[in-house]
């Protein structure tokens, strides 16, 4: 039994609780919020403590000596405390991922830290537990109150404050469903640390560091309470939602000055009685009203207005219903809001609309799918495109109105608008590819153009000596930078865009199954390199992905980082296109499984490059990725050592911001490629037949649903070859354990001798394995060169320090090699 279950028992046994719950239901949300945020500390609830222990799942907090004080109750409950003195936190996680992460961040597999100040926010039995171990007396509540207020002010500044969470507890009749414990601990070694135990999360236990100077949240540990595994709990990712969204009806108006006004009618289905909704909405959009179906205005809460600042945290919108909504009965709320900064102007008739946060959601999870009905009004000179099928278009005053309705429920919606050239092409299956390309260059392209023109004028000596004008003309025609930019000229660019996107869809349909929507609208993104975005049936891609490598070199020379180089290639564009399958058709169940979206998209980008530009381009993409994984980041950490793919977004921390993209994208893509190569059969009519069948089975089985790593593993197991049975039992655990749940990139050293025989040759030698744990095992392909022909001879199961082999082959062979197709993510050396 875990400690939270114990604390539930204590709560349930408290006689005072039932009447308090009823009183809480009647409480005024605004007054409750104010009381919570002003937390007044009780002079009668101060205690000197000696070894007060709070056990929270695997973590133990000890208040060794010092003073603890509690705030006055709100809604009949004591919810806040502060401590000053000497205390310690210890945590010894049991899951391999958590041990690895803790060791990476702190240098030790078991965590122990001393703290001198602490703030506690909780709805569990903390108060009762401390009261049982200490004696309250009159004391200096003011100083502890100040300590609490200072921390709470910080939290509020970042929009990370706990009032939304506490309100949910206080206004619920089943507060134990929302039980939580939050501790903030001031340590010498790591600054302020967070420890959380939260019943509303599937991974209830978290140890984290909020790195204020880098504006980053470093999660050191996150795991399910009670000894369960993440693989287990995330199989049903929606069980902790007390309500789900049923449908969105959005009415969005964008004014000439880019102000966005929204009226969102959202239907929710409570699964349990619900009083408080914790929603997300970009805090740059200020809510004017939230009304229920009867038109009554409801209490709502938002963080402070960030006034255009990007806010990764602090985009909450908390709404308190007038009365508890009963389970199983859908209800509708209407949200009215407006704000700038969500849409920005990027040139004449060129705009950028933020991907997320422009309508209220229950979180940006890709677990659920919803029908959308979107009415969009933009200034009347512009065209608009959005997720769904266009069912209406007309002028309305100063606006152009369009309406977009989805025929397949989708996870997210987006839109774009501007002064466009529009082109369209039909695919063989009847789906339409449409391009919406900006008529005018955006600021970024314009700046490049200006730079090239200015430099061009200086660079070129006028050979005729007839003055600057001639020189400019001469420069314009000869400067290759201008020629490169010319291909981004919308008139020429639209056609390329249409062809390229249609081609990538054809490749992906052959591998992954039918394109799922009736249209794919593509718009060029008016921003710099390094960004792209895909919604179901709608893509934002950078114009720069349509120029070729020569043009890229001409425009940027060596000024781009490796990642930026990749981000402006057709490979990156194909990555975005493939998200129609990876992310939209098949979602992901948890942050652990996001490689099924990003890694698969990265692989898809390479796959398209292979068709478009040839095998060498494909292989060099893989090699570049391997180099990236073996490189060190700016802190001197090898990327592959940051953690396993399964750590997901946690791989990026303040000090190591590149972890997520390098591992989840690059290594994730490699993992799928390795499965592809193990299934590759050069003798089959379609050597890729098995891999394609597996991928199509995966998209079909999880059509419009989220999938987990374990779900994908089961699909791989259905299609595994006899050679892939490395551990027997029809299981692929050996592979996933090493490549997704673990770290390590093997290094192989091949030594061999060829002895001519009466017929053919005897091949003897060994493969030495290093840089991975001894138990690491992999199927390594061995290739023979005969003249100009390179043939895969078969597989060797490589494991341990050295794997010898000795075979007779019926033909003459010139040379033996490993890994010709980069079949395995490894480095190879020949001795
Ligand atoms: Zn992506």
């Amino acid at each position: 039994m875990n400690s939270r279950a114990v604390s539930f028992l204590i709560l349930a046994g408290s006689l005072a609780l039932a009447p308090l719950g009823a009183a809480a239901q009647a409480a005024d949300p605004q007054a409750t919020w104010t009381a919570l945020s002003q937390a007044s500390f009780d002079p009668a609830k101060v205690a000197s403590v000696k070894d007060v222990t709070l056990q929270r799942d695997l973590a133990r907090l000890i208040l060794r000596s010092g003073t603890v004080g509690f705030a006055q109750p709100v809604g009949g409950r004591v919810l806040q405390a502060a401590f000053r003195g000497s205390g310690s936190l210890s945590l010894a996680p049991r899951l391999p991922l958590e041990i690895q992460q803790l060791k990476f961040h702190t240098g030790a597999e078991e965590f122990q830290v001393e703290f001198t100040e602490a703030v506690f926010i909780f709805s569990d039995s903390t108060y009762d537990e401390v009261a049982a171990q200490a004696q309250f007396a009159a004391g200096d509540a003011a100083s502890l109150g100040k300590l609490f207020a200072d921390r709470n002010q910080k939290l509020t500044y970042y929009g990370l404050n706990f009032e939304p969470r506490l309100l949910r507890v206080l206004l619920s009749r089943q507060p134990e469903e929302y039980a939580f414990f939050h501790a903030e601990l001031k340590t010498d070694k790591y600054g302020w640390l967070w420890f959380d135990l939260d019943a509303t999360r599937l991974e209830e236990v978290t140890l984290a560091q909020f790195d204020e100077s880098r504006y980053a949240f470093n999660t050191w540990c996150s795991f399910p309470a009670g000894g369960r595994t993440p693989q287990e709990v995330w199989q049903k990712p929606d069980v902790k939602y007390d309500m789900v969204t049923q449908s969105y009806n959005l009415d969005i108006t964008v004014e000439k000055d880019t102000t966005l006004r929204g009226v969102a009618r959202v239907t929710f289905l409570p699964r349990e009685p619900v009083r408080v909704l914790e929603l997300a909405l970009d805090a740059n959009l200020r809510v004017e009203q939230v009304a229920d179906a009867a038109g009554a205005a409801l209490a709502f809460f938002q963080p402070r207005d960030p006034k255009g600042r990007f806010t990764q945290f602090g985009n909450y919108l908390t709404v308190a219903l007038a009365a508890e909504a009963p389970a199983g009965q859908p209800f509708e709320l209407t949200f009215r809001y407006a704000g700038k900064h969500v849409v920005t102007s990027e040139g004449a008739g060129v705009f950028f609309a933020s991907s997320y946060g422009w309508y209220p959601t229950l979180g940006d999870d890709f677990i659920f799918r919803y029908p959308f009905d979107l009415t969009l009004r933009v200034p009347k000179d512009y065209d608009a495109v959005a997720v769904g099928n266009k069912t209406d278009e007309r002028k309305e005053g100063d606006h152009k109105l369009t309406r977009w309705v989805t025929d397949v429920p989708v996870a997210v919606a987006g839109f774009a608008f501007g002064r466009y050239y529009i082109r369209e092409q039909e695919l063989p299956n009847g789906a339409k590819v449409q391009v919406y390309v900006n008529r005018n260059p955006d600021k970024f392209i314009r700046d490049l153009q200006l730079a090239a023109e200015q430099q061009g004028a200086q660079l070129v000596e006028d050979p005729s000596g007839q003055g600057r004008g001639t020189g400019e003309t001469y420069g314009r025609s000869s400067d290759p930078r201008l020629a490169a930019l010319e291909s981004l000229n919308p008139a020429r660019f639209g056609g390329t865009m249409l062809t390229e996107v249609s081609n990538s869809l054809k490749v992906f349909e052959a591998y992954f199954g039918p394109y799922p929507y009736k249209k794919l609208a593509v718009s060029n993104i008016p921003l710099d390199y390094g960004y792209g975005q895909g919604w179901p049936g709608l893509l934002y891609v950078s114009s720069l992905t349509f120029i070729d490598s020569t043009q890229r070199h001409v425009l940027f020379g060596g000024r781009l980082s490796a990642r930026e180089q990749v981000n402006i290639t057709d490979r990156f564009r194909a990555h975005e296109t493939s998200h129609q399958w990876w992310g939209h058709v098949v979602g992901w169940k948890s942050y652990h499984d996001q490689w099924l979206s990003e890694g698969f998209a990265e692989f898809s980008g390479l796959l398209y490059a292979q068709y478009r530009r040839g095998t060498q381009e494909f292989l060099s993409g893989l090699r570049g990725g391997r180099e990236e994984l073996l490189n060190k980041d700016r802190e001197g950490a090898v990327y592959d050592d940051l953690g396993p793919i399964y750590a997901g977004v946690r791989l990026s921390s303040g000090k190591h911001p590149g972890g997520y993209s390098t591992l989840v994208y690059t290594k994730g893509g490699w993992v799928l490629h390795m499965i592809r190569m193990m299934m590759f059969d050069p003798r089959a009519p379609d050597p890729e037949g098995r891999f394609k069948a597996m991928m199509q089975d995966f998209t079909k089985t999880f059509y419009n649903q989220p999938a987990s790593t374990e779900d994908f593993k089961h699909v791989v197991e259905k299609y595994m070859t006899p050679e892939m049975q490395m551990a027997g039992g029809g299981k692929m655990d050996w592979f996933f354990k090493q490549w997704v749940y673990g770290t390590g990139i093997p290094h192989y050293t091949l030594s061999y001798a060829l002895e001519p025989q009466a017929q053919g040759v005897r091949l003897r030698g060994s493969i030495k394995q290093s840089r991975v744990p001894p138990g690491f095992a992999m199927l390594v392909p061995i290739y023979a060169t005969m003249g100009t022909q390179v043939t895969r001879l078969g597989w060797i199961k490589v494991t341990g320090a050295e794997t010898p082999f000795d075979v007779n082959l019926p033909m003459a062979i010139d040379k033996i090699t490993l890994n010709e197709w980069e079949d395995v993510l490894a480095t190879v050396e020949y001795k």
Side-chain angles (χ1 to χ4, degrees):
M1 184 181 280
N2 68 46
S3 67
R4 210 189 56 262
V6 173
S7 72
F8 288 171
L9 290 178
I10 295 168
L11 284 170
S14 150
L15 288 171
L17 199 76
L20 281 178
Q25 277 290 299
D28 169 40
Q30 185 64 61
T32 305
W33 182 285
T34 307
L36 287 168
S37 53
Q38 290 174 353
S40 101
F41 271 58
D42 187 344
K45 290 279 158 48
V46 177
S48 290
V49 293
K50 178 119 190 47
D51 295 333
V52 168
T53 303
L54 297 169
Q55 183 75 34
R56 294 290 179 272
D57 198 61
L58 296 178
R60 174 169 291 180
L61 279 136
I62 303 175
L63 310 181
R64 285 222 180 82
S65 63
T67 317
V68 65
F70 289 86
Q72 304 272 13
V74 178
R77 285 171 162 267
V78 179
L79 303 158
Q80 296 143 323
F83 166 80
R84 193 174 273 123
S86 152
S88 72
L89 167 73
S90 53
L91 174 66
R94 292 173 192 158
L95 297 164
L97 168 64
E98 304 311 322
I99 294 170
Q100 185 276 334
Q101 285 291 290
L102 197 55
K103 192 168 182 196
F104 177 76
H105 288 290
T106 71
E109 294 184 356
E110 292 193 8
F111 188 60
Q112 166 94 34
V113 75
E114 304 292 312
F115 58 87
T116 52
E117 290 180 356
V119 159
F120 303 103
I121 305 172
F122 51 86
S123 74
D124 66 357
S125 56
T126 299
Y127 174 74
D128 294 334
E129 288 177 62
V130 175
Q133 299 178 65
Q135 205 70 54
F136 289 120
D140 185 9
S143 134
L144 291 168
K146 171 139 191 350
L147 169 60
F148 185 91
D150 287 349
R151 286 315 296 167
N152 205 41
Q153 198 180 12
K154 247 287 108 100
L155 290 173
T156 306
Y157 176 82
Y158 288 109
L160 291 164
N161 44 317
F162 282 77
E163 282 86 351
R165 198 66 188 68
L166 290 170
L167 199 65
R168 212 168 158 195
V169 169
L170 288 175
L171 270 58
S172 171
R173 270 192 296 156
Q174 291 128 326
E176 65 278 7
E177 303 249 332
Y178 309 106
F180 79 100
F181 171 83
H182 170 73
E184 263 174 73
L185 312 168
K186 188 185 182 186
T187 70
D188 277 350
K189 206 167 172 191
Y190 306 106
W192 285 88
L193 292 182
W194 287 27
F195 173 82
D196 286 87
L197 181 67
D198 187 339
T200 64
R201 295 185 194 153
L202 281 168
E203 292 180 0
E204 292 97 336
V205 185
T206 315
L207 174 65
Q209 180 191 41
F210 183 48
D211 183 345
E212 256 186 87
S213 63
R214 296 184 181 88
Y215 191 58
F217 210 81
N218 306 330
T219 305
W220 293 353
C221 282
S222 173
F223 56 86
R228 289 161 305 148
T229 64
Q231 285 86 347
E232 201 180 322
V233 299
W234 285 108
Q235 273 311 102
K236 290 203 170 78
D238 66 331
V239 294
K240 297 245 174 159
Y241 283 80
D242 58 3
M243 58 186 284
V244 292
T245 303
Q246 273 197 328
S247 65
Y248 286 100
N249 192 309
L250 307 173
D251 191 308
I252 302 291
T253 304
V254 183
E255 301 295 357
K256 259 197 169 127
D257 68 352
T258 71
T259 300
L260 180 146
R261 279 176 210 293
V263 181
R265 287 190 290 131
V266 188
T267 306
F268 299 102
L269 175 66
R271 294 166 149 189
E272 288 162 40
V274 167
R275 177 78 195 279
V276 176
L277 287 75
E278 282 191 82
L279 300 157
L281 181 74
D282 191 323
N284 283 300
L285 293 169
R286 305 311 292 176
V287 177
E288 288 147 15
Q289 194 197 45
V290 182
D292 62 19
L298 303 175
F300 66 86
F301 307 90
Q302 275 189 288
R304 75 199 165 94
D305 186 348
K307 296 193 160 61
R309 250 183 342 107
F310 167 71
T311 53
Q312 190 183 339
F313 318 112
N315 292 300
Y316 65 78
L317 169 59
T318 303
V319 178
L321 302 177
E324 193 175 69
Q329 291 180 27
F331 66 92
E332 186 184 271
L333 295 183
T334 304
F335 304 80
R336 291 173 194 281
Y337 50 92
K340 288 204 171 195
H341 310 297
V342 171
V343 174
T344 53
S345 167
E346 303 289 336
V350 185
F351 301 92
F352 175 70
S354 268
S355 309
Y356 296 106
W358 57 276
Y359 58 91
T361 65
L362 281 172
D364 59 352
D365 304 281
F366 273 66
I367 298 171
F368 301 108
R369 300 285 188 278
Y370 329 92
F372 279 84
D373 183 339
L374 165 65
T375 299
L376 189 60
R377 280 179 211 81
V378 298
K380 64 175 188 293
D381 302 332
Y382 303 135
D383 286 304
V385 59
V387 164
N389 302 312
K390 186 157 70 179
T391 62
D392 193 7
E393 175 162 4
R394 60 193 143 91
K395 289 253 165 86
E396 194 192 76
D398 286 341
H399 295 110
K400 181 180 283 177
L401 177 150
T402 48
R403 186 175 168 199
W404 307 84
V405 182
T406 53
D407 51 355
V408 180
V410 296
V412 284
F415 68 91
F417 71 100
R419 191 169 286 126
Y420 292 129
Y421 279 113
I422 303 172
R423 290 177 182 226
E424 188 176 281
Q425 183 172 304
E426 205 170 296
L427 293 180
N429 67 1
K432 288 192 173 93
V433 178
Q434 304 161 333
V435 304
Y436 290 74
V437 57
N438 284 117
R439 284 175 186 249
N440 296 320
D442 57 66
K443 282 178 192 158
F444 181 72
I445 301 280
R446 172 120 305 260
D447 288 350
L448 284 177
Q449 233 160 22
L450 286 174
E453 277 170 25
Q454 276 166 11
Q455 286 175 36
Q458 287 161 8
L459 279 173
V460 175
E461 291 287 326
D462 176 8
S464 67
Q466 282 172 5
R468 200 167 164 266
T470 323
E472 264 188 31
T473 313
Y474 179 71
R476 204 181 286 272
S477 57
S478 69
D479 188 331
R481 282 169 301 190
L482 291 177
L485 285 165
E486 184 58 22
S487 67
L488 290 176
N489 179 341
R492 298 173 54 177
F493 168 53
T496 317
M497 211 165 158
L498 204 56
T499 312
E500 287 287 327
V501 172
S502 303
N503 284 342
S504 62
L505 287 184
K506 283 175 202 159
V507 173
F508 298 151
E509 286 203 314
Y511 275 82
F512 312 140
Y515 178 70
Y517 309 106
K518 285 187 183 145
K519 68 150 199 226
L520 179 61
V522 190
S523 177
N524 62 316
I525 206 162
L527 279 185
D528 60 4
Y529 36 82
Y531 187 79
Q533 180 72 46
W535 292 273
L538 173 63
L539 280 184
Y540 261 8
V541 289
S542 165
S543 319
L544 295 169
T545 65
F546 292 91
I547 60 176
D548 64 31
S549 57
T550 316
Q551 291 173 321
R552 228 168 12 246
H553 183 75
V554 163
L555 282 177
F556 300 104
R559 281 175 294 129
L560 298 183
S561 71
R563 192 76 222 168
E564 285 166 342
Q565 287 280 5
V566 168
N567 287 356
I568 60 169
T569 58
D570 47 6
R571 183 181 137 192
F572 183 67
R573 172 174 18 89
H575 168 122
E576 292 305 331
T577 310
S578 77
H579 275 308
Q580 298 300 311
W581 284 264
W582 315 129
H584 297 314
V585 171
V586 183
W588 58 90
K589 283 183 175 171
S590 77
Y591 71 92
H592 296 292
D593 309 307
Q594 217 169 335
W595 73 279
L596 300 177
S597 169
E598 295 303 352
F600 281 32
E602 200 67 5
F603 168 80
S604 306
L606 281 168
L607 182 68
Y608 182 65
Q610 186 180 355
Y611 277 83
R612 180 74 175 77
R613 310 211 176 261
T615 299
Q616 279 317 310
E617 179 90 5
F618 173 77
L619 292 176
S620 84
L622 283 173
R623 287 169 191 146
R626 179 177 55 212
E627 208 176 305
E628 231 183 295
L629 287 162
L630 292 167
N631 272 347
K632 287 180 177 162
D633 71 4
R634 63 186 184 199
E635 294 283 325
V638 173
Y639 278 104
D640 192 61
D641 293 341
L642 295 182
I645 291 172
Y646 199 64
V649 284
R650 288 166 56 188
L651 293 161
S652 283
S653 56
K655 279 188 180 171
H656 308 280
Y660 171 68
S661 62
T662 308
L663 289 151
V664 171
Y665 284 57
T666 307
K667 194 172 181 181
W670 257 103
V671 168
L672 189 56
H673 169 68
M674 286 193 278
I675 293 170
R676 175 197 188 194
M677 291 322 291
M678 286 191 287
M679 291 183 174
F680 189 85
D681 182 357
R683 282 166 292 272
D686 178 359
E688 301 245 58
R690 187 185 287 266
F691 177 69
K692 286 177 183 167
M694 176 195 71
M695 295 306 277
Q696 290 175 20
D697 189 349
F698 182 54
T699 54
K700 211 168 158 184
T701 307
F702 293 93
Y703 184 81
N704 239 16
Q705 286 174 54
S708 70
T709 302
E710 289 291 301
D711 291 330
F712 177 61
K713 192 185 80 190
H714 292 314
V715 177
V716 178
E717 284 165 353
K718 274 171 75 176
Y719 291 86
M720 58 197 288
T721 63
E723 290 84 1
M724 289 163 80
Q725 299 271 10
M726 295 270 282
K731 294 288 182 196
M732 283 298 286
D733 295 75
W734 65 271
F735 178 86
F736 284 81
K737 197 177 146 213
Q738 295 172 165
W739 296 108
V740 182
Y741 298 136
T743 60
I745 293 173
H747 178 73
Y748 301 127
T749 308
L750 172 70
S751 50
Y752 69 92
L754 289 166
E755 296 160 25
Q757 305 286 74
Q759 281 180 334
V761 289
R762 179 176 180 188
L763 168 63
R764 271 198 295 179
S766 78
I767 300 174
K768 286 188 178 136
Q769 174 175 260
S770 56
R771 296 182 198 160
V772 281
F776 203 96
M778 195 57 198
L779 267 186
V780 180
I782 189 156
Y783 289 83
T785 305
M786 293 165 281
T788 56
Q789 215 194 332
V790 181
T791 309
R792 194 178 77 195
L793 286 179
W795 300 94
I796 296 181
K797 291 181 184 181
V798 175
T799 185
E802 187 165 7
T803 306
F805 54 85
D806 185 348
V807 282
N808 288 311
L809 297 165
M811 64 282 206
I813 288 172
D814 302 324
K815 194 172 84 169
I816 293 294
T817 49
L818 300 178
N819 225 21
E820 282 285 338
W821 275 74
E822 301 299 345
D823 314 65
V824 180
L825 171 54
T827 48
V828 180
E829 187 187 337
Y830 298 98
K831 272 261 161 71

